[in-house]
């Protein structure tokens, strides 16, 4: 990297002491001269709160560490083999994947639609942006409190609307086959604003020339959308989709508050299972093993994405 | 990146084509009307939960429990808000949230800008390795660390303290990376002049690099603050004492106690939502631009 040049130059020319002879000691030159002192605070917190827990978690996953007991024994890969045979791991993994599919698809498509509509240049840009992005700013608890009320069986808005339309009420959070869809709807409402902004930014930076040329050649609005704008957005879509899949796989907060994984475990994602096993069941070692297996799975997403993109290019 | 700086500046004014542009929709009236209708429908759908919450919050619990779909039947009252403020725990949690988010933001911004500058201009051994490790750490989901971090906090005897909530949140490899890329784009000639004049590295950083980086540092600060304010899982795991809880954790933990009282539930939800809506209104352009230019803010 070329960035090193000025500091080398500085190290060589820094002999004239400027403010007080002591400050330009050899020690001072070494420490500030090569820039190491700037990264030291980060190294400290990074080592303590990132590297340490990662290593510690790996170690714990090989032990029977418990929240309740002091003694910890090395158990090798027992936790991992147990996880592979644990039906709850598989069912929560299934729930996570199901949630990821039914939330990611609308989170990408609705965001794209919103961005295209706002970008089409209707008045009130500021108001549209605010309406779509505002929910993204809400703490998860606020979102779940509002939606718990909307989904409330007798008085909630959702069932009251159905009632006025003459339809039967739905057990939004109590029906096993509906609950995950309700969680997904909440998630789309909550977080679509971020994807919307990414798309909007991409649209605003597209060169207008192709579009203008096509318009001059008489291509209609739909034609230009399909043949020019959408193809130009392909890279953005790849990015948005990958970020979204990663975020959806990590779902925990809203489900934990909204349904606690219920009814009958039908909405419990992997991370809630980790939480239940570790903090309610006290089995920290086993919880670590499950979360490391899950992390290995998550890492695959960008790798798959890279493969796909390389093939396309 | 200097490109980032340029876009941040030029985007202040919306690009010409977007305002009333015929580019995407053609000149026909029908597509425009269709787009307008779709936009209005979407916006109404997105605002409806807010509106419903606001209406619920300004009614008495009895009215909420008896009125049908028309929420306007009930009489207007601010009882719910009054009762919540009198009980006081929401105010206490809001204070905790402010304190914790502000400290997390302060420490993160200081630590990350320093590290980013060191990684951008430094010549120390292992610089590239550290950069590589930092980028790799962006991939690590914070949830993976919750169990071992809790174990660590137990070891340090820090469970149920502000320190335990704050410290693990100040590691922000993503922010370091974004800032480092920005610093890379600042021309070195400016700094060299100062160095020849004998300014120390810290001085160069403070009086030349930082002033040029104000927009990106502000964007990072805003996003760290929002992230800390909304963070749920870690504060939830590490605090049991209701007096130390942040707003999201406190509301989630105690909600069951008065979950049936929907007017109060909605009033407290709206009170908790207010601060960030204000932050957004104040910094709207900066937030939108920084999502646009850096993809910042992704969970």
């Amino acid at each position: 990297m070329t960035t090193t040049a000025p500091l080398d130059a500085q190290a060589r020319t820094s002999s004239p002491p400027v403010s007080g002879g002591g400050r330009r000691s050899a020690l001072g030159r070494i420490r500030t001269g090569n820039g190491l002192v700037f990264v030291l605070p980060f190294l400290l917190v990074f080592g303590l709160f990132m590297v340490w827990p990662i290593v510690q978690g790996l170690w714990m996953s090989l032990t029977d560490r418990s929240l309740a007991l002091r003694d910890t024994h090395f158990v090798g890969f027992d936790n991992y083999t147990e996880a592979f045979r644990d039906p709850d791991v598989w069912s929560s993994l299934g729930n996570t994947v199901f949630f990821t599919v039914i939330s990611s698809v609308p989170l990408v498509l609705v965001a794209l639609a919103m961005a295209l509509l706002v970008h089409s240049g209707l008045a009130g840009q500021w108001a549209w942006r605010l309406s779509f992005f505002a929910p993204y700013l809400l703490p998860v608890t606020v979102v779940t409190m509002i939606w718990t009320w909307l989904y409330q069986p007798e008085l909630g808005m959702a069932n009251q609307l159905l009632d006025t339309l003459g339809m039967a009420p739905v057990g939004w959070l109590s029906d096993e086959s509906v609950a995950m869809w309700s969680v997904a709807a909440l998630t789309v409402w909550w977080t679509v604003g971020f994807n919307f902004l990414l798309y909007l930014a991409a649209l605003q930076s597209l060169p207008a020339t192709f579009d203008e040329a096509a318009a001059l050649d008489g291509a209609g609005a739909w034609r230009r959308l399909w043949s020019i704008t959408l193809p130009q957005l392909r890279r953005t879509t790849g990015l948005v989709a990958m970020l979204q899949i990663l975020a959806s796989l990590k779902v925990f907060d809203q489900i934990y508050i909204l349904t606690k994984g219920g009814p009958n475990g039908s909405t419990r994602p992997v991370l809630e299972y980790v939480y239940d096993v570790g903090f309610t069941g006290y089995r920290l070692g086993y919880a670590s093993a499950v979360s490391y297996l899950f992390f290995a799975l998550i890492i695959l997403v960008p790798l798959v994405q890279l493969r796909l993109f390389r093939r396309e290019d | 990146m200097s490109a980032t700086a340029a876009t941040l500046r030029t985007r202040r004014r919306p690009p010409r084509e977007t305002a009333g542009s015929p580019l995407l929709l053609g000149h026909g009236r029908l597509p425009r009307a269709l787009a307008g209708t779709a936009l209005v429908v979407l916006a109404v759908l997105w605002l409806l939960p807010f509106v419903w919450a606001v209406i619920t919050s300004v009614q008495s619990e009895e009215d909420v429990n008896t009125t049908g779909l028309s929420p306007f039947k009930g009489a207007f009252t601010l009882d719910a808000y009054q009762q919540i403020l009198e009980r006081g725990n929401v105010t206490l949690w809001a204070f905790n949230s402010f304190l914790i988010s502000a400290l997390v933001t302060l420490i993160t911004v200081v630590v990350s800008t320093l590290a980013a500058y060191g990684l951008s201009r430094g010549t120390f051994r292992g610089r590239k390795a550290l950069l590589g490790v930092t980028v790799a750490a962006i991939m690590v989901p914070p949830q993976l660390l919750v169990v071992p971090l809790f174990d660590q906090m137990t070891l340090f005897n820090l469970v149920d303290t502000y320190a335990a909530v704050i410290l693990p949140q100040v590691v922000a490899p993503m922010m370091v990376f974004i800032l480092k890329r920005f610093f890379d784009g600042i021309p070195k000639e400016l700094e060299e002049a100062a160095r020849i004049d004998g300014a120390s590295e810290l001085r160069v950083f403070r009086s030349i690099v930082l002033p040029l980086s104000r927009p990106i540092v502000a964007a990072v600060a805003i996003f760290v603050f929002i992230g800390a304010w909304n963070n749920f899982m870690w504060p939830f795991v590490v605090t049991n004492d209701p007096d130390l809880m942040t707003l999201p954790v406190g509301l989630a933990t105690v909600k069951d106690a008065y979950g049936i009282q929907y007017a109060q539930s909605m009033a407290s939800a709206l009170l908790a939502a207010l601060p960030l809506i204000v932050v957004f209104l104040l910094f709207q352009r900066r937030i939108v631009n920084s999502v646009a230019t850096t993809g910042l803010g992704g969970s």
Side-chain angles (χ1 to χ4, degrees), chain A residues 1-4 6-10 18 23-24 32-36 38-39 41-43 45-46 48-50 52-54 56-57 60 65 67 110 113-114 116-122 125-126 128-142 145-150 152 155-157 160-161 164 188-190 192 194 197-198 201 204-206 208 211-212 221 224-225 229 247 250 252-253 256-258 260 271 274-275 279 284 287-288 291-292 295 298-299 302, chain B residues 11 17-18 20-26 32 35-36 38-40 42-43 45-50 52-53 56 64-65 67-69 111 114-115 117-124 127-128 130 133-134 137 139-141 143-153 155-156 167-168 170-171 173 176 180 184 188 192 195 198-202 205 226 229-230 232-233 236-237 248 251-252 255 262 265-266 268-269 272-273 276-277 280-281 284 287-288 291-292 295-299:
Chain A
M1 282 214 147
T2 53
T3 54
T4 54
L7 281 172
D8 285 342
Q10 192 252 346
V18 200
R23 292 201 53 195
R24 280 282 152 190
T32 65
N34 64 12
L36 183 62
F38 286 92
V39 301
F42 179 69
L43 265 181
V45 292
F46 188 78
L48 265 178
F49 304 118
M50 192 74 139
W52 175 340
I54 288 176
Q56 163 84 350
M60 271 162 64
R65 188 163 186 89
L67 254 187
V110 174
M114 285 173 165
L116 286 170
L117 289 169
V118 170
H119 186 66
S120 71
L122 291 151
Q125 293 281 317
W126 179 86
W128 306 125
R129 275 189 203 168
L130 181 64
S131 353
F132 298 145
F133 189 69
Y136 184 77
L137 293 166
L138 302 181
V140 59
T141 322
V142 171
M145 284 166 96
I146 293 177
W147 283 72
T148 305
W149 171 225
L150 296 183
Q152 206 271 345
L155 299 157
M157 185 180 73
Q160 290 215 25
L161 279 176
T164 14
V188 172
W189 179 80
W190 181 26
V192 76
F194 180 69
L197 283 190
L198 285 180
Q204 286 173 349
S205 64
L206 291 183
D211 207 49
E212 275 164 2
R224 275 179 288 140
L225 176 65
T229 311
K250 290 188 260 175
F252 167 78
D253 298 358
Y256 183 77
I257 308 175
L258 201 64
K260 287 240 164 35
L271 284 178
V274 169
Y275 176 84
F279 293 101
L284 292 183
S288 300
S291 57
Y292 273 77
F295 180 51
I298 282 187
I299 279 193
Chain B
R11 284 251 175 76
E17 308 95 283
T18 46
S21 116
L23 289 179
L24 200 63
L25 284 172
R32 185 161 285 265
L39 207 46
V40 170
L42 275 173
L45 270 177
W46 251 252
L47 290 175
L48 204 55
F50 280 117
W52 193 261
T56 307
V64 169
N65 283 312
T67 46
L69 184 62
V111 167
L114 285 174
Y117 184 67
L119 286 171
S120 171
R121 298 292 196 271
T123 53
F124 59 90
R127 186 182 65 94
K128 281 194 175 152
L130 180 61
V133 172
T134 308
M139 287 286 303
V140 177
Q143 291 92 336
L144 182 74
L145 307 179
V146 164
V147 173
L149 268 177
F150 184 82
D151 204 58
Q152 186 189 39
M153 290 303 152
L155 181 73
F156 292 166
L167 287 175
V170 306
V171 188
V176 173
K180 189 250 171 202
D184 284 347
K188 275 123 211 135
E192 262 172 274
R195 286 201 188 94
S200 72
E201 274 306 310
L202 197 63
F205 176 64
I226 294 176
W229 182 274
N230 286 348
F232 178 75
M233 194 175 183
F236 173 69
V237 164
L251 287 173
K255 80 170 166 146
Y262 285 106
S265 173
M266 289 306 101
S268 51
L276 281 195
I277 301 288
F280 182 74
L281 290 175
Q284 199 209 166
I287 290 173
V288 171
V291 170
L296 207 67
S299 51

Side-chain angles (χ1 to χ4, degrees), chain A residues 85-267:
Chain A
R85 274 177 287 139
D86 184 345
D88 287 337
V89 167
W90 291 104
S91 73
S92 62
L93 185 63
N95 291 337
T96 306
V97 171
F98 181 60
F99 171 80
T100 303
V101 173
I102 65 170
S103 64
S104 297
V105 172
L107 274 165
V108 173
L109 294 181
V110 174
L112 175 62
M114 285 173 165
L116 286 170
L117 289 169
V118 170
H119 186 66
S120 71
L122 291 151
Q125 293 281 317
W126 179 86
W128 306 125
R129 275 189 203 168
L130 181 64
S131 353
F132 298 145
F133 189 69
Y136 184 77
L137 293 166
L138 302 181
V140 59
T141 322
V142 171
V143 175
T144 51
M145 284 166 96
I146 293 177
W147 283 72
T148 305
W149 171 225
L150 296 183
Y151 286 146
Q152 206 271 345
E154 294 90 32
L155 299 157
M157 185 180 73
N159 273 348
Q160 290 215 25
L161 279 176
L162 289 183
D163 190 48
T164 14
L165 297 172
M167 300 200 302
V170 171
W172 299 103
L173 300 175
S174 56
D175 186 333
E176 278 182 43
S177 59
V178 178
M180 195 60 108
W181 293 91
S182 306
V183 172
L186 169 153
T187 308
V188 172
W189 179 80
W190 181 26
T191 60
V192 76
F194 180 69
N195 294 350
F196 156 72
L197 283 190
L198 285 180
Y199 267 124
L200 194 62
L203 278 171
Q204 286 173 349
S205 64
L206 291 183
T209 41
F210 298 107
D211 207 49
E212 275 164 2
L216 284 176
D217 287 346
W222 285 112
R223 186 67 209 282
R224 275 179 288 140
L225 176 65
W226 282 111
S227 314
I228 294 176
T229 311
L230 289 183
Q232 281 180 309
L233 285 175
R234 234 188 42 188
R235 276 183 61 105
T236 310
T237 303
L239 175 77
V240 170
M242 187 185 75
L243 289 177
Q244 187 53 59
I245 290 170
L246 286 174
S248 284
L249 283 172
K250 290 188 260 175
V251 65
F252 167 78
D253 298 358
Q254 66 267 43
I255 294 184
Y256 183 77
I257 308 175
L258 201 64
T259 67
K260 287 240 164 35
N264 200 13
S266 63
T267 59

Side-chain angles (χ1 to χ4, degrees), chain B residues 130-296:
Chain B
L130 180 61
L131 186 60
V133 172
T134 308
V135 171
I138 295 174
M139 287 286 303
V140 177
Q143 291 92 336
L144 182 74
L145 307 179
V146 164
V147 173
L149 268 177
F150 184 82
D151 204 58
Q152 186 189 39
M153 290 303 152
T154 317
L155 181 73
F156 292 166
N157 228 339
L158 284 178
V159 174
D160 258 329
T161 61
Y162 284 131
V165 181
I166 292 168
L167 287 175
Q169 292 192 66
V170 306
V171 188
M174 176 81 175
M175 302 301 167
V176 173
F177 181 66
I178 286 170
L179 288 163
K180 189 250 171 202
R181 282 206 323 190
F182 186 87
F183 293 155
D184 284 347
I186 297 178
K188 275 123 211 135
E189 291 76 20
L190 293 169
E191 299 154 43
E192 262 172 274
R195 286 201 188 94
I196 288 167
D197 288 348
S200 72
E201 274 306 310
L202 197 63
R203 181 76 195 278
V204 170
F205 176 64
R206 246 189 21 214
S207 39
I208 295 176
V209 177
L210 266 192
L212 287 172
S213 318
R214 226 175 261 156
I216 192 88
V217 173
V220 164
I222 292 168
F223 274 97
V224 171
F225 188 89
I226 294 176
W229 182 274
N230 286 348
N231 196 359
F232 178 75
M233 194 175 183
W234 175 246
F236 173 69
V237 164
V238 85
T239 47
N240 299 310
D241 180 355
D243 287 349
L244 291 172
M245 285 177 179
T246 60
L247 207 41
V249 176
L251 287 173
T253 315
V254 184
K255 80 170 166 146
D256 298 331
Y258 56 100
I260 312 297
Q261 293 172 299
Y262 285 106
Q264 287 194 27
S265 173
M266 289 306 101
S268 51
L270 290 166
L271 284 177
L274 205 60
L276 281 195
I277 301 288
V278 171
V279 166
F280 182 74
L281 290 175
L282 287 177
F283 298 106
Q284 199 209 166
R285 194 161 283 146
R286 188 153 276 171
I287 290 173
V288 171
N289 284 339
S290 46
V291 170
T293 48
T294 60
L296 207 67

